[in-house]
Amino acid sequence: MLKLNRNKVFSTSIGLIGLFIVVLFLNIREVSALSPDITQVKVPGNPAVYYLNHATGQRKVYINEAVFLDYGNDFNDVKTISPEELSKWAEARLIKTEGSKDLYYISSGKKVRINGLDDLRNYNLEMVSPITVSDFELSQYEETETYQSAGLDKTEGLNVSQVLVRNANYGQVLVPGTADNNVMIIRLSAGNEGASLQRLTFKLEGLFNDALIDEVYLLNSVTGERVRGGKSLRDRTLVLHVNPNEATITPNSTLELKVMLNLYNIAGVANQNLRFTLVDASSVEATHLATGAFPLHSSEFKMIEAGQILGSTRVDEQSLNGAGTQKNLGKFTITETSGREDVYIKELVFRNSGSASRRDLESFKLKQGERVVATARRMESNRIVFDVNYLRIPAGTSVDLSVSAILGTDYEAPRSVNLTLERSRVTGRTYELSLPTEIYNLEEEFILP
């Protein structure tokens, strides 16, 4: 039976040059981030002055007026920004002086010297970048003898922080019809007992069309693997559910997750904007209570439209007509359907819903005719991931691809194969933007010999 699995699958590789061309083409003003020239700031109604370190994305409050003036600063140069903008900058926790290897943890006007790398790990500080300060500023902090007296306690909970996603050249923009857009990076640091993430609840803010949001998912920054789970979106509240064991933080370690966004290609959204926010600790549900400098805001992203100038692709699985073997696991035709631009296939991920496992098949090959386009050593979690080095499809044309493998040494008959394309990464040649792909899979299973 033919099953049309019409999933809009997208891929993203927004190159700076391509994005620049699109912005100029559409004559849309770019979104500018806070200028690197702005380093001394305050917020309305609060006399505290902060130093912004653009290299690390951190803010550090001046402990007193003497320290501020010692750097040669002028109060007339202090810029007033919104509390929301200030909250995007992580609070500085480690400082050092030029020429010294000593690190100090600071909090509420107190400092304590870090004794070694093990302590950085035990207190979840190994991922924190230190800020270099003057000897005079260091001397202004009250020195304490213990970590606890400086407000640094080992915690059995889960500390949540973020890394700002920046595009310094063109500001923060999103293009409808693209996917795998990294909108936020979240760090989860566990104490001695470790922790496991269960769900994240985001408040979506801004002036945007709800119909833009297609898929939102989490990506492990280290492995590059998607975190399996589901999502629900209602009244601009987005909940990402995480499957058990998919986001486990081992004791005294940090897990970094990227929040990835896929957008539908709809018109009339130019200059709309979108921001993701974890409002408070209850926004992070895990096996331990979450702590952090909430609210955590993503950058504010502005939409630009490019749907009328980009390419698009379609994948059609071809029937094997009863001729399936390990040398002929599946056949697929990929077509550039718009006729506007050439496309490059970057990645294809196939899924086997048959009974054959990773020990039954190995040494997979993706071939165009007799030419090997990509290889994959094994199947993991019933998925075959082909990283394609070079495969170009000219505008308005098609290519036929096939998947083959060899039987594993531990193969035990009978085993079955039902290969389908789960997702792809495709970029356009002209603008280097991600392109939509329609996938049509067949429900066709065969038995390996």
Side-chain angles (χ1 to χ4, degrees):
M1 181 178 74
L2 176 65
K3 181 178 72 174
L4 290 182
N5 186 13
R6 185 171 181 170
N7 296 327
K8 279 292 187 71
V9 181
F10 302 96
S11 60
T12 297
S13 175
I14 299 182
L16 295 180
I17 295 177
L19 185 56
F20 181 58
I21 294 173
V22 171
V23 172
L24 289 180
F25 185 89
L26 297 172
N27 194 27
I28 294 175
R29 181 176 58 88
E30 70 178 49
V31 183
S32 60
L34 198 61
S35 169
D37 295 331
I38 299 177
T39 56
Q40 321 298 329
V41 300
K42 64 184 294 292
V43 297
N46 191 330
V49 177
Y50 292 85
Y51 162 69
L52 299 183
N53 188 295
H54 288 263
T56 64
Q58 297 180 86
R59 68 177 189 262
K60 181 179 61 61
V61 67
Y62 285 101
I63 189 172
N64 54 41
E65 181 179 343
V67 170
F68 177 84
L69 296 175
D70 184 65
Y71 285 104
N73 295 319
D74 189 323
F75 283 107
N76 292 325
D77 295 329
V78 178
K79 305 296 183 182
T80 299
I81 63 175
S82 68
E84 291 77 17
E85 177 65 34
L86 184 66
S87 69
K88 297 177 185 178
W89 300 74
E91 190 75 46
R93 291 188 287 164
L94 295 178
I95 62 173
K96 64 183 293 291
T97 59
E98 189 72 35
S100 175
K101 296 182 179 180
D102 289 339
L103 286 180
Y104 291 86
Y105 175 84
I106 56 171
S107 178
S108 301
K110 297 180 180 180
K111 69 183 178 187
V112 61
R113 188 170 66 86
I114 301 296
N115 292 324
L117 182 58
D118 286 342
D119 285 348
L120 285 174
R121 291 170 177 161
N122 289 337
Y123 289 96
N124 300 313
L125 294 171
E126 73 274 17
M127 301 297 291
V128 177
S129 299
I131 292 180
T132 301
V133 302
S134 67
D135 292 324
F136 176 70
E137 179 174 359
L138 181 66
S139 71
Q140 297 300 292
Y141 288 87
E142 177 188 347
E143 186 155 13
T144 62
E145 297 295 328
T146 66
Y147 293 140
Q148 288 71 29
S149 60
L152 185 60
D153 291 317
K154 287 186 180 179
T155 175
E156 304 310 328
L158 183 67
N159 183 263
V160 184
S161 59
Q162 70 168 324
V163 180
L164 291 181
V165 179
R166 294 180 178 274
N167 184 340
N169 289 332
Y170 303 108
Q172 303 295 344
V173 298
L174 292 170
V175 180
T178 63
D180 301 332
N181 296 293
N182 185 197
V183 295
M184 199 171 185
I185 301 176
I186 299 171
R187 282 178 174 166
L188 306 169
S189 300
N192 293 336
E193 293 185 3
S196 182
L197 179 65
Q198 297 168 339
R199 64 183 55 85
L200 294 171
T201 301
F202 296 91
K203 187 68 175 177
L204 301 187
E205 302 171 322
L207 300 173
F208 66 93
N209 188 332
D210 291 350
L212 270 170
I213 308 298
D214 177 10
E215 183 182 4
V216 186
Y217 65 94
L218 299 174
L219 192 73
N220 187 308
S221 292
V222 175
T223 66
E225 292 293 321
R226 294 192 184 196
V227 177
R228 289 179 294 176
K231 78 167 176 64
S232 61
L233 176 60
R234 183 178 182 182
D235 297 330
R236 301 203 169 194
T237 297
L238 170 72
V239 181
L240 295 183
H241 304 274
V242 179
N243 287 352
N245 304 319
E246 281 291 306
T248 298
I249 306 97
T250 57
N252 301 314
S253 68
T254 296
L255 172 66
E256 187 174 280
L257 298 174
K258 295 181 178 180
V259 182
M260 310 297 292
L261 171 66
N262 296 354
L263 296 171
Y264 286 116
N265 190 4
I266 64 176
V269 296
N271 296 319
Q272 292 186 16
N273 59 295
L274 172 65
R275 184 170 70 171
F276 285 65
T277 298
L278 292 173
V279 177
D280 52 32
S282 66
S283 301
V284 182
E285 295 185 49
T287 52
H288 287 80
L289 293 176
T291 61
F294 295 101
L296 297 179
H297 299 286
S298 76
S299 298
E300 182 181 291
F301 295 90
K302 180 172 284 189
M303 304 292 169
I304 63 172
E305 293 187 46
Q308 301 305 311
I309 59 175
L310 302 179
S312 60
T313 55
R314 186 185 72 224
V315 179
D316 296 282
E317 183 179 3
Q318 305 299 321
S319 175
L320 296 178
N321 296 316
T325 68
Q326 74 273 15
K327 295 182 179 180
N328 190 21
L329 298 177
K331 293 182 178 180
F332 299 82
T333 299
I334 305 181
T335 305
E336 198 294 308
T337 58
S338 74
R340 299 187 186 108
E341 63 174 336
D342 297 357
V343 299
Y344 294 101
I345 309 300
K346 299 294 186 179
E347 180 185 66
L348 295 174
V349 180
F350 295 91
R351 184 179 187 275
N352 175 39
S353 57
S355 61
S357 66
R358 67 189 305 272
R359 75 175 187 173
D360 299 311
L361 292 167
E362 59 187 28
S363 299
F364 295 90
K365 293 180 180 180
L366 180 68
K367 300 169 68 176
Q368 180 185 7
E370 294 302 315
R371 182 173 75 91
V372 176
V373 174
T375 61
R377 184 177 179 184
R378 289 190 177 276
M379 179 165 53
E380 301 292 344
S381 301
N382 294 327
R383 288 171 175 81
I384 309 163
V385 180
F386 288 111
D387 291 317
V388 182
N389 182 44
Y390 181 83
L391 177 57
R392 175 181 166 188
I393 304 177
T397 67
S398 301
V399 298
D400 294 320
L401 301 176
S402 62
V403 180
S404 66
I406 64 173
L407 295 178
T409 55
D410 296 327
Y411 171 71
E412 296 181 4
R415 292 287 188 266
S416 64
V417 172
N418 181 6
L419 204 64
T420 56
L421 181 63
E422 187 173 79
R423 67 178 187 267
S424 65
R425 281 197 299 117
V426 182
T427 62
R429 181 187 182 192
T430 306
Y431 303 107
E432 300 182 15
L433 291 167
S434 64
L435 301 177
T437 299
E438 290 183 305
I439 298 177
Y440 294 83
N441 285 313
L442 299 176
E443 188 64 36
E444 190 174 78
E445 187 172 15
F446 67 89
I447 305 298
L448 289 169

